[in-house]
Amino acid sequence: MFIDIVTFCVSAFLLWFGANWIVASAALIARKYNVSELVIGLTIVAVGTSAPEFLVTLNAAFRGQNDISLSNVVGSNIFNLGFILGVMAMIKPLVSNRTIVYRDGLLLFLTTAGILAVSFTGTLGRFFGGCLMTLLIGYLIYLGRKRENVGAEELEETRGKVATWRDGIWLVAGFAAISAGGHLMVTAASSIAADFGVSSWVIGVTIVAAGTSLPELVTCLAASVRGKNEMLLGNLIGSDFFNFAGVLGLTCLLKPLPVSPEASSGLILLVAMVGLVMILLRTGWKLTRWEGGLLVGINLFRWAHDFMQ
């Protein structure tokens, strides 16, 4: 048991640092070759912060641990909108706007509801995975034509710096770290689930989900410290959409995922959570401290409920 817990902690740190290395080094390399900041934001930052979810989800899928695979994505999205968004609002109320609510939020809600509907068939297959990937590509093209500089804020730390040969090493090291971290996290999580006598779904939707959401948590905390709380809403909603359309879409495209009854229940909760967040963002166009506390409370209650089952 002790070894499994230590292994899980080590895997979380590998995922955390690996994602940060990928984002920073890839952004510098891309700028060196005159790749626009828009492209960097929409691709490198998105891939970097969602890399832990992707590696853990794909690793679990190909090892036949389908509950961990799907629960990681569902749990990460709930953790993002419940715990992380809630804590950030408690630190400082977050201002929303029509674009976040009616475009990005509605897209996330419809995507989540669509996944829930398909889950009742018992399998998320390759065709559906292709549909999710097509949706993601279409969304990125739309944003590109609108010339919205999504994700540029996260890259402030790289401004004024020039890429060197060391950045290539850091990029490779980042992918190696998340690859090793993803493998170790799935192994440790499965063992912990067996030791505690709880299902792989519960471990995946709680502990593994929190571990793979570390990049989003760190990014949001850094933004909060810099007083840029307004960007958090778009980043978290965008991250959740990328987790579903990108991470889950590509995973299903490579290997269809069977859906357990627990997974369907988790998706129902996530649809409700997304709907609640959209309502809270629309009322007064602000997420207040007490509303943030409500989201955190729901997340903690869900965790307690899952572990007691």
Side-chain angles (χ1 to χ4, degrees):
M1 169 67 75
F2 177 74
I3 298 298
D4 292 327
I5 294 176
V6 172
T7 300
F8 185 89
C9 292
V10 170
S11 69
F13 277 106
L14 285 172
L15 294 173
W16 179 0
F17 286 109
N20 287 335
W21 293 340
I22 290 172
V23 171
S25 59
L28 287 172
I29 293 171
R31 287 212 182 109
K32 182 177 180 179
Y33 293 99
N34 297 319
V35 177
S36 72
E37 196 162 86
L38 171 62
V39 174
I40 294 172
L42 292 177
T43 55
I44 296 171
V45 173
V47 171
T49 56
S50 293
E53 283 91 344
F54 176 67
L55 264 296
V56 170
T57 298
L58 193 63
N59 191 302
F62 277 96
R63 293 171 62 176
Q65 295 164 318
N66 299 307
D67 271 350
I68 288 182
S69 183
L70 184 54
S71 65
N72 174 47
V73 177
V74 173
S76 292
N77 282 8
I78 295 176
F79 189 79
N80 286 347
L81 292 180
F83 187 80
I84 297 179
L85 182 59
V87 168
M88 294 304 107
M90 291 173 68
I91 294 174
K92 181 181 179 181
L94 305 176
V95 178
S96 78
N97 56 57
R98 292 181 177 275
T99 300
I100 289 176
V101 174
Y102 292 133
R103 188 193 68 188
D104 303 326
L106 185 59
L107 177 63
L108 175 61
F109 180 81
L110 293 176
T111 302
T112 309
I115 293 173
L116 172 62
V118 175
S119 73
F120 290 124
T121 66
T123 304
L124 300 180
R126 288 191 171 89
F127 176 77
F128 184 62
C131 290
L132 289 176
M133 289 298 297
T134 301
L135 178 63
L136 174 63
I137 293 171
Y139 180 64
L140 295 182
I141 292 174
Y142 169 78
L143 292 180
R145 289 181 175 176
K146 295 272 291 184
R147 302 195 63 78
E148 296 190 28
N149 205 358
V150 177
E153 293 281 4
E154 294 95 325
L155 301 175
E156 280 193 359
E157 296 83 355
T158 66
R159 290 177 182 172
K161 297 181 180 180
V162 179
T164 66
W165 60 271
R166 293 185 182 86
D167 293 299
I169 295 178
W170 283 118
L171 182 63
V172 174
F175 280 108
I178 61 172
S179 178
H183 177 79
L184 290 175
M185 182 168 282
V186 171
T187 301
S190 301
S191 182
I192 292 172
D195 291 337
F196 277 104
V198 298
S199 67
S200 296
W201 170 267
V202 171
I203 293 296
V205 82
T206 55
I207 299 175
V208 175
T212 56
S213 291
L214 282 174
E216 286 88 350
L217 177 60
V218 173
T219 298
C220 289
L221 285 174
S224 181
V225 170
R226 294 198 300 263
K228 297 181 178 179
N229 285 27
E230 291 79 6
M231 64 176 268
L232 299 180
L233 292 172
N235 285 344
L236 286 176
I237 291 175
S239 177
D240 278 16
F241 175 71
F242 192 88
N243 282 345
F244 268 150
V247 175
L248 185 61
L250 184 56
T251 300
C252 293
L253 195 60
L254 296 175
K255 189 178 188 300
L257 291 178
V259 181
S260 66
E262 286 180 306
S264 295
S265 299
L267 284 167
I268 292 173
L269 175 61
L270 181 54
V271 171
M273 177 69 81
V274 174
L276 175 61
V277 169
M278 294 305 103
I279 292 173
L280 295 178
L281 291 177
R282 176 60 183 83
T283 54
W285 300 107
K286 179 185 293 185
L287 192 64
T288 63
R289 285 188 172 91
W290 80 264
E291 290 171 337
L294 174 64
L295 293 177
V296 172
I298 292 174
N299 190 83
L300 294 178
F301 176 79
R302 179 189 63 85
W303 273 37
H305 178 267
D306 286 337
F307 275 107
M308 288 189 297
Q309 283 187 322

